[in-house]
Amino acid sequence: MDNEPAPNAFAKACTYLNYNAVAKWAAHGAGVGSAFVFVLLLVVLMLFTDLLVTRGRIPNFHALSAQQQERFKNKWATLDPAERKRQLAYFVPAPVPAEDADKLKDLSSLDDLPRAQLDLLWRANVGEVLRHYDIGNDEKRAELLGGRDYDEIDRGVLSLLVRYDANGERLTPMFGTVARWNPWMWNAANDPASRIKTYLIGLLLAAFLLTILGTGLNVLMRDMAARATTEAATRLRRGVYHHTFRLGTLAFRALGPSEAVTVFTRHVEAVHDALFVRLTVYFREPIKFILLLLFAFVVDMYLTLAFLIFAVLVWIIGGQISAYFRRTGKLATNRAGERLTVMRESLMLMRLVKCYLMEAFNQARVERQLSQYARIQLVRLRGEALSQPILLFLAMLCALNLLFVAGVIVLNGYMGVARMVALTTALISLYRPLELWFAARRILRRGADSARQVFRFLERKSEVGQVVGAEFLPPLTKRIEFDKVSLAEPGSQRMLLEDVSLTIPAGQRVGLIGADDLEKHALVYLIARLLDPSAGEIRIDKHNLRWVTLDSLRAQVATVLQHNLVFHDTVANNIGCGDSAYTLPHIIEAAKVAHAHHFIQSLPEGYETPIGELGHSLTVDQQFRIALARAILRDPALLIIEEPSVTLDEDVKNLLDDTFTRMLPGRTAIFLPHRISTIRSCDQLFLVHKGHVVAAGVHKELLTENPLYRHLHYLEFNEMVEQL
């Protein structure tokens, strides 16, 4: 797993999204829907702009562009006489006179027709367009085309439909369908003058509803993505939590399983963020980009293609320029650092310069160095100053060229203003999805690296396990034996214990003394099987700890270690650990033995008072006494107690001594002592140094006979001897 590529690990993390598949696919669906809504808003923008420019009026023949006129003439010339006559029948208010109709239907060329007759033919063509797209019935079409000033009447979206048909636009069938399904866009009122107002209000409402829909889909996408990713992160954290207890190596350091904490918090959080970005930005923005690009191609393929070519050229040229300036800047930065080092040396030569009268020489050197440094810095800063303006210049140059081309297209009638506005908006909008997508890639890369760390942790094999058929460990009655035990520190492989052999008789108080806390903690962690030795055996009453059940072992061992005294919960739960077998009277009795009952009663809610995070609301000695009460409540055969290293009040010391006097008789106790009174009370002390037990005995013997013990004693207690 160490060498597994990060993308593979992240793909594995993505499978955790399937635990809430409904939310995952809802997020995908909402993301796609919001992208479509954005494109629909562009369509509404195009309709709105067209309405402002044309006021919804159908142009007469002479208001058409030269291209549109020529296209209509060619279209009319290709019709057979019967079809021409049928189309002319749509003319209103009065039918075309028979002789005029016969004349018009037989024309093969319209170049010499007078203006009035050309308008008649164009109006007939408009009627045919409306009939072709099934806009209203014959009566409604007659009403729409009636009157001499029909080109002065507002007809809503029909103006756009007719002009697009005159241009032969690919979007004409779409707008024909829209007009057929939405009569309010051209026939909302009998009064022609009010049609444009109704149409305008309708567009406003459509934009408003689309905005609400888009916002709702965005919210839904984020909410569903949050649900799916939170579920995935929760399951990853749950897996890390459970696996932590299967890995003995992580229990080693005095500050706790720091690697597990890092995986549990920082790495899983990075994976969570990456999964959220993947469900939202990384999935939606490419779809949005593609839809915008398709919309731009539909509006005008050639202008869009030209824009893309210019954009790619700017990207390639700008990328090369940026890369050049980055290389130059990096080189200049390195050289500037070297010059600064040399100048620093020149400043440090002051004594040499003064003693050897080198003032003029050294000043000349410094001036040369300053000049070189200034040139290097100028190169670096000039590159940084020029790179962005050059990129901006290239982009502006391309934009001006495109704007010129677009102006020519619009002025020559090849494209309307509304289409140009919609196209420009779509092309400009392409930048945002790209920006978000590239930003999302950075988050995904961090998430992929963190995913590799998470799964490397989860796939690590446990070093402490319970064998099949493990036996029950009876209560300790004789001795604890370390038989040639060695232990390598997890991770660094530094030998913490080497060939350690010692015996602790049952019922004795022993103390572990040493300069290295890791070595002392290693001994006590091995007893509780928080980790197993690299070599050798540990036995309780001749039972090898590897072959007994973990529950029966840990039921006999109670630990009071400084970095795990209390946790964020009520006092009662801190002592009883939430075990319903321990009632409040039992908890109170244990607290009394530990001399914790009095100060617990003074807390705002007594035993139901929540202890703040990491016990910051309590003093160290109060935390220690609560931890002692927790150990006393379980009536263990073996107690492992690490005393506080902070200075304690005399009253507190007396209370602790009384607690030990009452709780330790009949039990085996292993101390990691920090008080002289505790050291003196121990039946035996083991001096641990560089992985070996180098001495054993009582306090007075070791103080007299062992220089190392005497030195350690002086280092810790020299300022406290008089007080203790």
Side-chain angles (χ1 to χ4, degrees):
M1 184 68 191
D2 289 351
N3 298 321
E4 182 175 352
N8 293 344
F10 187 68
K12 192 179 297 184
C14 289
T15 61
Y16 279 68
L17 294 172
N18 293 326
Y19 284 109
N20 196 340
V22 173
K24 168 188 169 183
W25 291 110
H28 283 326
V32 173
S34 65
F36 272 101
V37 167
F38 186 83
V39 175
L40 290 177
L41 280 171
L42 290 181
V43 175
V44 173
L45 173 65
M46 185 168 67
L47 294 175
F48 177 75
T49 307
D50 181 78
L51 178 61
L52 294 183
V53 173
T54 66
R55 297 183 60 84
R57 293 170 181 174
I58 297 177
N60 59 32
F61 180 79
H62 292 281
L64 299 175
S65 66
Q67 181 192 21
Q68 291 171 329
Q69 290 181 359
E70 188 63 28
R71 190 175 185 282
F72 167 67
K73 290 177 181 179
N74 294 335
K75 177 182 177 182
W76 183 266
T78 59
L79 297 176
D80 61 74
E83 178 61 22
R84 295 174 185 171
K85 186 173 182 180
R86 186 187 65 76
Q87 292 188 18
L88 286 169
Y90 284 104
F91 173 63
V92 180
V96 179
E99 60 276 12
D100 291 340
D102 291 338
K103 180 181 178 182
L104 292 172
K105 71 181 178 63
D106 292 330
L107 287 174
S108 59
S109 174
L110 305 180
D111 293 336
D112 299 327
L113 279 181
R115 175 172 180 170
Q117 290 186 338
L118 285 172
D119 282 340
L120 291 178
L121 295 181
W122 170 249
R123 196 182 303 197
N125 176 72
V126 171
E128 175 60 21
V129 170
L130 300 183
R131 187 194 67 80
H132 177 76
Y133 290 108
D134 198 20
I135 306 300
N137 51 30
D138 289 344
E139 181 180 352
K140 176 55 66 177
R141 289 192 289 271
E143 176 190 340
L144 292 170
L145 296 175
R148 293 183 179 276
D149 58 347
Y150 85 103
D151 57 332
E152 299 295 326
I153 298 175
D154 304 324
R155 292 180 175 84
V157 76
L158 297 184
S159 170
L160 183 67
L161 175 62
V162 171
R163 284 180 287 106
Y164 269 43
D165 181 79
N167 282 333
E169 300 285 354
R170 293 185 299 272
L171 295 177
T172 307
M174 182 189 77
F175 285 113
T177 303
V178 170
R180 182 170 67 252
W181 289 355
N182 298 275
W184 61 268
M185 302 178 78
W186 51 269
N187 189 37
N190 293 325
D191 180 12
S194 64
R195 286 185 182 134
I196 190 171
K197 296 179 182 178
T198 305
Y199 183 36
L200 181 61
I201 294 173
L203 289 178
L204 176 64
L205 290 175
F208 182 71
L209 292 175
L210 284 174
T211 302
I212 292 177
L213 178 60
T215 303
L217 288 172
N218 252 318
V219 171
L220 178 64
M221 175 190 69
R222 292 179 174 277
D223 181 65
M224 291 296 104
R227 292 174 184 269
T229 55
T230 300
E231 176 69 21
T234 299
R235 289 181 177 270
L236 282 173
R237 283 195 169 96
R238 187 178 294 125
V240 171
Y241 174 80
H242 289 301
H243 197 58
T244 300
F245 286 88
R246 293 192 290 268
L247 294 177
T249 57
L250 297 177
F252 181 72
R253 288 281 177 175
L255 290 177
S258 57
E259 181 185 2
V261 171
T262 301
V263 171
F264 190 84
T265 54
R266 182 166 65 86
H267 289 311
V268 176
E269 191 65 22
V271 173
H272 185 189
D273 292 342
L275 290 176
F276 183 82
V277 165
R278 186 179 185 275
L279 280 184
T280 54
V281 176
Y282 203 72
F283 179 80
R284 179 188 63 175
E285 297 308 321
I287 294 175
K288 186 176 179 181
F289 182 87
I290 293 171
L291 289 175
L292 287 171
L293 198 59
L294 290 176
F295 176 81
F297 269 111
V298 170
V299 173
D300 192 280
M301 181 176 66
Y302 298 108
L303 197 56
T304 301
L305 191 59
F307 170 83
L308 291 178
I309 292 173
F310 277 120
V312 171
L313 287 176
V314 170
W315 189 13
I316 293 175
I317 297 172
Q320 291 298 320
I321 293 173
S322 297
Y324 169 77
F325 282 123
R326 280 197 302 270
R327 289 194 301 269
T328 304
K330 185 176 181 180
L331 180 61
T333 300
N334 293 336
R335 293 177 61 192
E338 293 172 0
R339 292 298 94 195
L340 281 176
T341 301
V342 173
M343 285 190 288
R344 186 163 51 246
E345 178 195 62
S346 297
L347 287 175
M348 296 173 66
L349 292 176
M350 286 299 107
R351 284 178 296 181
L352 183 66
V353 168
K354 290 181 179 181
C355 291
Y356 286 88
L357 304 177
M358 296 168 53
E359 286 87 348
F361 173 76
N362 197 56
Q363 183 177 351
R365 290 178 66 249
V366 171
E367 288 296 333
R368 288 196 304 272
Q369 293 162 2
L370 286 172
S371 178
Q372 293 171 352
Y373 179 77
R375 287 198 301 270
I376 293 170
Q377 286 290 69
L378 186 61
V379 170
R380 182 178 68 86
L381 296 174
R382 185 180 296 163
E384 294 176 356
L386 290 177
S387 59
Q388 289 298 327
I390 289 175
L391 287 175
L392 183 60
F393 170 75
L394 291 174
M396 289 297 296
L397 189 64
C398 293
L400 289 173
N401 286 330
L402 287 173
L403 187 62
F404 173 77
V405 173
V408 172
I409 291 174
V410 171
L411 292 176
N412 284 277
Y414 294 100
M415 181 186 294
V417 175
R419 285 178 60 197
M420 183 56 64
V421 170
L423 178 63
T424 304
T425 305
L427 293 178
I428 292 174
S429 299
L430 290 174
Y431 173 74
R432 183 62 176 166
L434 282 177
E435 181 186 34
L436 292 175
W437 190 78
F438 281 114
R441 280 180 61 84
R442 292 191 291 270
I443 297 175
L444 287 174
R445 282 196 294 269
R446 290 196 296 269
D449 292 337
S450 291
R452 182 169 55 190
Q453 299 297 326
V454 170
F455 286 103
R456 183 175 67 180
F457 176 83
L458 290 175
E459 294 178 7
R460 185 183 303 170
K461 293 182 179 180
S462 173
E463 297 181 8
V464 176
Q466 181 170 291
V467 298
V468 178
E471 61 180 341
F472 179 83
L473 178 65
L476 169 63
T477 58
K478 296 179 181 178
R479 68 184 67 86
I480 302 171
E481 297 174 285
F482 283 73
D483 186 6
K484 298 182 179 179
V485 170
S486 297
L487 177 66
E489 181 181 7
S492 69
Q493 297 304 308
R494 175 171 72 97
M495 293 304 295
L496 296 172
L497 301 176
E498 291 189 70
D499 202 27
V500 171
S501 296
L502 59 87
T503 299
I504 302 174
Q508 278 198 354
R509 297 188 192 184
V510 301
L512 301 178
I513 307 297
D516 192 338
D517 286 339
L518 292 181
E519 295 175 353
K520 294 182 290 183
H521 282 104
L523 285 167
V524 297
Y525 287 163
L526 287 171
I527 295 174
R529 279 204 73 197
L530 298 178
L531 50 117
D532 284 332
S534 307
E537 291 184 2
I538 304 170
R539 296 185 291 272
I540 292 182
D541 294 345
K542 297 186 179 181
H543 294 276
N544 189 331
L545 297 189
R546 285 184 181 271
W547 305 104
V548 302
T549 63
L550 292 173
D551 287 345
S552 63
L553 168 63
R554 291 170 183 171
Q556 295 191 45
V557 181
T559 59
V560 180
L561 302 175
Q562 287 305 298
H563 297 285
N564 299 110
L565 294 176
V566 293
F567 50 88
H568 185 33
D569 209 314
T570 64
V571 174
N573 280 340
N574 264 269
I575 297 174
C577 296
D579 191 337
S580 58
Y582 302 118
T583 63
L584 184 58
H586 294 134
I587 292 172
I588 293 174
E589 186 61 31
K592 288 180 178 179
V593 175
H595 290 290
H597 178 67
H598 179 71
F599 78 80
I600 292 173
Q601 281 188 313
S602 66
L603 296 175
E605 299 177 46
Y607 283 85
E608 294 304 317
T609 302
I611 295 177
E613 186 177 355
L614 300 178
H616 292 318
S617 60
L618 302 176
T619 63
V620 173
D621 69 272
Q622 289 173 337
Q623 297 177 38
F624 184 64
R625 282 181 278 171
I626 287 177
L628 285 175
R630 181 190 306 131
I632 293 168
L633 183 63
R634 278 145 186 81
D635 192 23
L638 172 63
L639 274 163
I640 298 173
I641 301 173
E642 181 182 12
E643 291 189 309
S645 57
V646 299
T647 303
L648 302 175
D649 295 337
E650 287 297 328
D651 292 340
V652 173
K653 294 175 186 176
N654 293 331
L655 293 175
L656 292 180
D657 289 336
D658 181 69
T659 297
F660 294 152
T661 300
R662 298 168 64 184
M663 68 182 288
L664 294 183
R667 293 188 175 91
T668 306
I670 300 176
F671 281 97
L672 279 66
H674 289 287
R675 295 191 304 130
I676 289 182
S677 61
T678 304
I679 292 174
R680 289 171 176 169
S681 69
C682 288
D683 299 309
Q684 193 171 23
L685 299 173
F686 294 100
L687 180 58
V688 184
H689 182 63
K690 293 185 178 180
H692 299 276
V693 176
V694 296
V698 297
H699 171 63
K700 288 184 179 180
E701 293 175 355
L702 293 176
L703 195 61
T704 303
E705 300 172 2
N706 192 288
L708 175 61
Y709 180 84
R710 191 162 53 248
H711 176 68
L712 293 175
H713 183 274
Y714 172 77
L715 289 178
E716 183 163 9
F717 299 116
N718 66 329
E719 298 179 356
M720 304 172 61
V721 171
E722 296 299 328
Q723 302 173 19
L724 295 172

